[in-house]
């Protein structure tokens, strides 16, 4: 049996991918009802300008559509089945659903306008009383992330890596990143310690077992993205889905 986990931030990955279709309102609601600290989802900007939730650039794996999402009309995307009858949500619909019930990690999946468009949507929420700290914007595309930070400097950003950067934690300082998100198989304790010395927590993706979480915490990781929040949390009562 595993030793008890130290306090760990639990983030639902693509909603709660192990329990409901990924990047859908149902998945995000599932994660929130389980009492996650926050939810992570992937956002793309359609050539029409709309922001929508989808991980892949293509439609086949998660919807009943075909081809590149960017080559379909936005109306066509919205008619697709994203799993169990769920639709491809817009960013605004998603934020309406979350309604400040947890932290919101928006991962920028496209570039060339995505950062600025997300900044506009977040600015509208801040004007409605959301706290900037409620959001964390992340990306593997660090220049796009930097563009987001310039457009919306008050919202924390996180650099995403699926490896270990040659420049080490110095790159985090260059970006002004508040934290760093790391692939679980590339968590390097020295890199995590260097980030922590500068006050930057490290979270790891995708962590689905208590043993893996335990191992990562010994390397300094303080948060996890999980497809299975129920393995780490007990359900809590939240407002019913509208
Ligand atoms: O943001 C953490 C994680 O979601 C990054 O990888 O491929 O699942 O978007 P991916
Ligand atoms: Mg993601």
């Amino acid at each position: 049996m595993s030793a008890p986990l130290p306090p760990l931030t639990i983030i639902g990955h693509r909603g709660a991918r192990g329990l409901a279709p990924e990047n859908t309102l149902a998945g995000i609601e599932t994660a929130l009802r389980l009492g996650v600290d926050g939810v992570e989802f992937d956002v793309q900007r359609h050539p029409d300008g709309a922001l929508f939730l989808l991980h892949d650039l293509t439609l086949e794996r998660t919807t009943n559509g075909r081809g590149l999402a960017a080559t379909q009309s936005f109306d066509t995307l919205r008619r697709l089945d994203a799993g169990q009858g769920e639709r491809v949500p817009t960013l605004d619909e998603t934020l309406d659903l979350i309604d400040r019930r947890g932290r919101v990690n928006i991962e920028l999946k496209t570039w060339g306008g995505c950062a600025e468009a997300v900044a506009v949507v977040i600015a509208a929420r801040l004007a409605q009383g959301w706290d900037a700290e409620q959001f964390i914007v992340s990306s593997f595309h660090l220049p796009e992330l930097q563009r987001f930070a310039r457009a919306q400097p008050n919202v924390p950003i996180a650099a995403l890596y699926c490896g270990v950067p040659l420049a080490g934690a110095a790159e985090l300082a260059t970006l002004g990143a508040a934290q760093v998100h790391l692939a679980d198989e590339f968590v390097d304790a020295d890199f995590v310690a260097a980030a922590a010395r500068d006050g930057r927590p490290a979270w790891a993706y995708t962590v689905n077992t208590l043993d893996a979480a335990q191992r990562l915490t010994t390397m300094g990781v303080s948060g996890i993205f999980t497809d299975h929040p129920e393995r780490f949390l007990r359900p809590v009562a939240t407002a019913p889905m509208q």
Side-chain angles (χ1 to χ4, degrees), residues 13-14 40 42 55 105 107 109 138 140 160 181 205-206 225:
H13 182 232
R14 307 184 201 171
E40 182 267 0
D42 306 296
H55 181 274
N105 181 188
E107 185 189 336
K109 276 293 186 208
S138 61
F140 290 105
L160 258 169
H181 297 170
Y205 64 90
T206 305
F225 299 88

Side-chain angles (χ1 to χ4, degrees), residues 2 50 59 111 117 133 141 143 155-156 192 212 215 228:
S2 302
L59 296 165
W111 51 94
E133 296 288 328
H141 194 304
V155 167
V192 172
R215 180 182 63 82
H228 284 282

Side-chain angles (χ1 to χ4, degrees), residues 5-29:
L5 283 175
L8 199 56
T9 299
I10 306 295
I11 304 293
H13 182 232
R14 307 184 201 171
R17 185 176 177 233
L19 303 173
E22 68 180 54
N23 287 318
T24 64
L25 296 184
I28 288 162
E29 181 66 24

